[in-house]
Amino acid sequence: MTAFKLDIDADGIALITWDMEGRSMNVITMDVIAELSGLVDKVTNDAAIKGAVITSGKKAFCGGADLTMLESMGGIYADKVRQEGEEAAAKYVYEESSKLSQLYRRLEKSGKPWVCALNGTAMGGGFELALACHRRIASDNAKTRLGLPEIKVGLFPGAGGTQRVVRMMMPADALQFLLKGDQLKVDRAKAMKLIDEVVPQDRLIETAKAWIKGGGKGEQPWDVKGYKFPGGLVYSKAGMMTFPPANAIYRRETYDNYPAARAILQVVYEGLQVDIDTALRIESRHFAKILRSPEAAAMIRTLFVNMQDLNKGARRPAGVPPTNIKKVGIIGAGFMGAGIAQVSAAAGLSVVLIDRDQETADKGKAGLHKSLSDRVAKGRMKSAERDSLLEKIATTADYDALKDCDIIVEAVFEDRKVKTDVIKKVAAVIRDDATFASNTSTLPITSLAAEFKEPKRFIGIHFFSPVALMMLVEVIMGKETGDPALAAALDFIRAIRKTPIVVNDTRGFYANRCVLNYIREGHLMLQEGIPAAMIENTARMAGMPVGPLSLNDETALDLGLKIVRATEADLGPEAVDPGMKKLLEDMVEKNQRFGRKNGKGFYDYTPGQPKKLWPGLADLLPKKLTREEIEALDVNELKQRFLVVQAVEAARTFEEHVVTDVREADVGSILGFGFAPFTGGTLSYIDMMGTKKFVELCNRFVKKYGERFTPPKLLIEMAAKGESFHTKFAPKKKAA
Ligand code: NAD
């Protein structure tokens, strides 16, 4: 065995320690399934063994299934469809993907007691193993997280998780737990009865063994005659109070875009009407179907495999030694600068936070104190954590304090003169080997780098707001930016646990280019006379987290007007839509509607109440559709317009080498601006539809709606050859 160790003590209790060779984390692979299967046989058949305790030899218990194994199953399935037909291919996926579930059921029915001794985090298939054991004991480890987060990559728990969880708690609670993919701390898991006992780490194994010695039974409650579901029957008053509303909530939250979420509802609903063995088969069948869904394939690839590659430094230049980032300098203690200071300090880095004068710098830090204190008040943070975070941030107006910083990030006003002045001041004090970054959203990095004494050490690090919540960071290469600066930027981003994409220097970089198209599409629909509520709703139905008008309110309408005017000045009047410009002028200058920040934008924001669309908006618009015209609108086409207009822009950025790696276009689109996650991201969306169909759709939209849908040459060529982004530009994997 290479994954497990087996020790049988004098009392006949088997201690099975999961500790995979050559891996830092235990995961479920085909080898693990085979070895565990042998162990289950041994425990079952060896009369000298009284029961088994399973634990891990690593810090965590198990990270879940090896998703690359599931990903490769998708490839085998596709080959089999071609060679042996759909039925044989589907049978293969069902048989392979139900193996783990059957193994856990054998363990559960072995007749001997199994105890799971959870010494650390257990996720997905690892936690499902715990659920199949007859008792679950966790050590009181504050870092432990327990959960079934499969939904986050378009899957659902397929090794009995759905069926055991609904047999342990009320179905409404089980559905929430499964549909949210929550990762629970030990205390919470115990309160939800998902684990039985919490003990200190040094007593974990002895407590587990004592339970077996004390007569703990190898039988699950649902295998005992007369067992009753905690929530009663599906066809009962309680069931009717649960399932119809659950269905409505599912629709509200997903717009039926997530087959895995729909499958969770189905397997719980169907599974609660049958015995556990039938229920497990139902779960396996749905699981095999979801595993073959394009959504699961796209989400696993983007949100697990590719995101992990980027987090591990897939784009880090080889041969540059790691930068040991300990101290960060941040200039500008405003909205963004304070956020960057917060995430840096939270990662344990020392921060020097500079502003024009001591008072403004202190104001930035005081704002942080307030927002962190709000978190403390809500019980989301301990006051000691807040204090130690703030202690790491030193405020000053003195640039000399930047002398020993490893990396310096400027986040001052978006004004070239102000930035140039700051760049000169930094140049006078920066250490010879330190990197200098700008958080600008619109100014070309190459032009800012030219103001710095050594442009090769200058780079863009573009954060998204709010910094603490947004996981993406765009790294922008100026023409002269060198590899050491890129490596240092990526090392910094890794240290603060964000996901980087590396893009080349153009107006709007990557994310803003795509997302501005999204906002503009909303504006153009308004000009067509489509009601604002319909625009917002169809955008959400397409899978976007917020409608384009809400998003415009969040990013501020006055900023939107500024961007429109700057674009017009730089690229000429035909680069902007006159209707959009007029509406923004009317909103901002005539009606003082700046967006969420002054409580008045496309929506009215009243504290303590849900936001409401502003009734005055219709009066500012040139056109209003009649009821008949509205009813004749094709909702599906409206949905497509939102996604296509962003995806076609992503394809352009790829053609222009702004983005050079398909993984980054996809991951960046979901983490940066919430592009419909079930698609796997902008380029995956095109691949999923097929480049040929996508180009046809673009051409149709060009005729109907305008040039903005024009597909780039690259896409037309790919469509003609039947190529996809992820095959044509499959990234070369490098060892991380
Ligand atoms: P902000 O107005 O909140 O903060 C700017 C800070 O810079 C202020 O505290 C100001 O006092 C300080 N400052 C101005 N001149 C200075 C000088 N000469 N020396 C030192 N400090 C000075 O602005 P913000 O929203 O935090 O934006 C900062 C930068 O981040 C801009 O370049 C902006 O384009 C970029 N950015 C903003 C967002 C966003 O959503 N707000 C997102 C990405 C990037």
Side-chain angles (χ1 to χ4, degrees):
M1 288 192 294
T2 60
F4 295 95
K5 283 187 204 73
L6 172 66
D7 295 294
I8 302 168
D9 70 11
D11 297 313
I13 298 174
L15 177 65
I16 297 169
T17 308
W18 192 354
D19 196 355
M20 294 171 84
E21 272 174 24
R23 286 195 189 245
S24 56
M25 171 76 93
N26 293 324
V27 289
I28 293 163
T29 62
M30 286 301 177
D31 290 345
V32 164
I33 296 177
E35 284 187 25
L36 186 58
S37 182
L39 287 163
V40 170
D41 286 343
K42 182 158 177 64
V43 172
T44 311
N45 299 325
D46 188 338
I49 298 180
K50 301 279 173 288
V53 173
I54 183 159
T55 191
S56 149
K58 309 218 185 275
K59 271 195 200 145
F61 181 75
C62 169
D66 178 359
L67 286 179
T68 50
M69 165 184 86
L70 296 182
E71 206 193 17
S72 66
M73 212 182 274
I76 302 176
Y77 164 73
D79 288 343
K80 277 198 185 289
V81 170
R82 276 191 295 276
Q83 288 154 13
E84 300 168 38
E86 169 65 33
E87 198 177 324
K91 188 161 177 273
Y92 160 82
V93 175
Y94 173 75
E95 278 167 5
E96 289 301 308
S97 66
S98 58
K99 275 187 178 151
L100 191 62
S101 179
Q102 287 162 10
L103 169 61
Y104 289 173
R105 182 63 180 150
R106 273 205 294 126
L107 178 154
E108 187 173 65
K109 291 285 283 175
S110 66
K112 305 266 174 82
W114 284 75
V115 183
C116 192
L118 292 159
N119 55 311
T121 291
M123 288 291 152
F127 191 53
E128 286 179 293
L129 169 58
L131 294 175
C133 289
H134 305 99
R135 193 167 179 83
R136 289 161 290 285
I137 306 176
S139 66
D140 56 358
N141 178 348
K143 291 206 171 122
T144 296
R145 295 291 178 275
L146 305 169
L148 301 171
E150 287 85 344
I151 191 72
K152 298 199 167 142
V153 288
L155 290 175
F156 71 90
T162 64
Q163 299 310 315
R164 293 194 177 91
V165 165
V166 290
R167 282 164 175 75
M168 297 165 84
M169 60 177 86
M170 298 295 279
D173 297 336
L175 282 172
Q176 265 217 25
F177 174 61
L178 295 166
L179 287 165
K180 282 194 176 161
D182 279 343
Q183 307 187 0
L184 311 171
K185 291 185 180 174
V186 166
D187 292 347
R188 180 98 186 89
K190 171 132 190 300
M192 286 171 72
K193 300 205 169 68
L194 285 167
I195 54 173
D196 303 294
E197 218 179 325
V198 182
V199 298
Q201 175 66 35
D202 58 358
R203 286 190 34 228
L204 182 63
I205 303 300
E206 94 190 37
T207 312
K209 287 184 169 183
W211 186 77
I212 296 174
K213 274 194 268 180
K217 281 223 167 51
E219 193 170 42
Q220 296 282 28
W222 41 88
D223 283 318
V224 175
K225 209 163 178 281
Y227 165 77
K228 286 200 171 47
F229 299 124
L233 298 174
V234 168
Y235 287 97
S236 65
K237 199 170 156 196
M240 287 306 114
M241 308 252 300
T242 303
F243 287 96
N247 207 13
I249 294 168
Y250 158 75
R251 295 237 160 215
R252 186 190 68 198
E253 297 297 319
T254 69
Y255 292 98
D256 208 19
N257 284 323
Y258 292 84
R262 173 191 264 255
I264 287 176
L265 275 179
Q266 284 178 304
V267 295
V268 166
Y269 176 77
E270 291 168 16
L272 280 180
Q273 300 177 53
V274 292
D275 63 275
I276 181 88
D277 286 300
T278 315
L280 291 173
R281 270 205 309 283
I282 290 173
E283 185 196 71
S284 292
R285 283 189 184 281
H286 280 282
F287 184 69
K289 187 171 151 209
I290 294 304
L291 204 50
R292 291 177 349 243
S293 69
E295 289 84 356
M299 286 177 81
I300 292 174
R301 183 175 64 200
T302 300
L303 292 172
F304 182 79
V305 180
N306 292 346
M307 195 161 98
Q308 203 169 50
D309 284 353
L310 300 182
N311 287 341
K312 284 187 180 164
R315 294 297 311 280
R316 196 182 183 282
V320 182
T323 351
N324 189 6
I325 299 207
K326 290 215 172 83
K327 193 165 183 182
V328 186
I330 297 165
I331 307 154
F335 182 56
M336 296 302 284
I340 303 167
Q342 179 189 340
V343 295
S344 304
L349 307 175
S350 302
V351 177
V352 175
L353 184 58
I354 291 194
D355 210 296
R356 286 173 289 189
D357 45 53
Q358 182 71 42
E359 198 189 336
T360 323
D362 287 342
K363 211 173 118 202
K365 187 170 168 180
L368 267 186
H369 185 276
K370 183 174 179 313
S371 71
L372 295 178
S373 298
D374 287 348
R375 298 194 60 198
V376 172
K378 287 182 186 147
R380 296 201 187 129
M381 188 180 216
K382 298 210 167 79
S383 54
E385 270 175 75
R386 173 200 59 198
D387 296 345
S388 88
L389 190 157
L390 290 172
E391 250 171 44
K392 295 201 175 73
I393 304 174
T395 53
T396 176
D398 179 4
Y399 279 65
D400 268 353
L402 297 172
K403 272 194 168 119
D404 51 353
C405 287
D406 305 296
I407 190 162
I408 297 170
V409 185
E410 74 75 19
V412 296
F413 294 147
E414 189 73 347
D415 176 317
R416 183 177 289 279
K417 278 225 293 290
V418 176
K419 298 234 191 244
T420 307
D421 179 48
V422 165
I423 291 169
K424 299 282 177 237
K425 282 190 186 150
V426 171
V429 293
I430 189 170
R431 218 175 58 204
D432 280 349
D433 59 344
T435 299
F436 189 14
S438 170
N439 181 46
T440 177
S441 1
T442 55
L443 302 170
I445 291 300
T446 306
S447 68
L448 292 177
E451 308 286 347
F452 187 55
K453 56 182 180 180
E454 264 188 282
K456 67 174 194 239
R457 283 162 57 202
F458 197 93
I459 196 162
I461 301 187
H462 182 223
F463 284 86
F464 291 78
S465 100
V467 177
L469 293 183
M470 297 296 286
M471 293 316 294
L472 188 74
V473 179
E474 265 177 321
V475 175
I476 297 113
M477 298 291 286
K479 279 215 170 61
E480 311 274 327
T481 305
D483 276 357
L486 173 59
L490 292 176
D491 291 343
F492 170 54
I493 293 164
R494 188 170 187 169
I496 58 174
R497 295 186 280 271
K498 303 249 177 228
T499 299
I501 62 171
V502 181
V503 304
N504 288 317
D505 192 13
T506 52
R507 173 186 286 274
F509 313 130
Y510 169 64
N512 282 348
R513 267 181 70 167
C514 298
V515 83
L516 282 176
N517 273 14
Y518 172 60
I519 293 177
R520 187 184 55 189
E521 203 58 25
H523 273 269
L524 295 176
M525 287 182 185
L526 280 178
Q527 302 294 322
E528 290 166 30
I530 301 173
M534 192 163 181
I535 296 171
E536 295 288 89
N537 287 339
T538 44
R540 295 202 47 227
M541 287 160 75
M544 296 302 293
V546 289
L549 307 178
S550 292
L551 187 58
N552 207 171
D553 271 359
E554 295 296 332
T555 54
L557 301 184
D558 53 332
L559 180 66
L561 180 58
K562 235 170 139 179
I563 294 175
V564 166
R565 283 184 174 150
T567 310
E568 188 176 22
D570 291 355
L571 306 175
E574 51 302 328
V576 301
D577 178 75
M580 176 172 176
K581 183 176 152 201
K582 179 164 185 314
L583 177 61
L584 282 173
E585 283 170 351
D586 287 350
M587 295 284 281
V588 173
E589 288 166 356
K590 292 210 181 117
N591 291 281
Q592 280 70 52
R593 301 193 74 88
F594 299 131
R596 158 134 13 219
K597 65 181 179 188
N598 78 334
K600 289 191 283 182
F602 286 111
Y603 288 80
D604 281 321
Y605 300 86
T606 314
Q609 284 179 30
K611 62 183 181 186
K612 279 209 182 94
L613 277 163
W614 176 47
L617 176 60
D619 301 335
L620 301 184
L621 295 168
K623 196 171 160 192
K624 199 169 166 213
L625 294 184
T626 63
R627 193 194 162 109
E628 290 71 32
E629 286 170 320
I630 292 170
E631 280 172 5
L633 287 171
D634 180 347
V635 168
N636 200 37
E637 189 162 299
L638 295 179
K639 282 161 60 181
Q640 281 178 328
R641 279 172 66 179
F642 284 125
L643 299 190
V644 170
V645 82
Q646 298 177 75
V648 76
E649 187 68 16
R652 278 180 210 126
T653 64
F654 200 80
E655 182 180 72
E656 293 164 18
H657 301 289
V658 175
V659 176
T660 57
D661 186 315
V662 286
R663 293 174 294 190
E664 294 183 312
D666 278 345
V667 171
S669 68
I670 298 182
L671 298 194
F673 50 99
F675 185 84
F678 67 91
T679 64
T682 44
L683 299 185
S684 281
Y685 171 69
I686 298 177
D687 281 0
M688 204 189 269
M689 191 184 296
T691 38
K692 187 163 174 285
K693 258 180 87 180
F694 184 81
V695 166
E696 282 165 10
L697 188 60
C698 286
N699 288 335
R700 194 159 68 75
F701 283 177
V702 170
K703 282 204 196 98
K704 211 165 160 186
Y705 301 111
E707 298 293 322
R708 64 188 182 279
F709 288 100
T710 307
K713 202 162 145 254
L714 169 74
L715 206 47
I716 297 171
E717 286 168 7
M718 287 170 64
K721 292 188 203 153
E723 291 170 334
S724 72
F725 280 103
H726 280 271
T727 48
K728 187 175 170 73
F729 301 106
K732 285 182 204 71
K733 296 260 173 180
K734 76 169 192 185

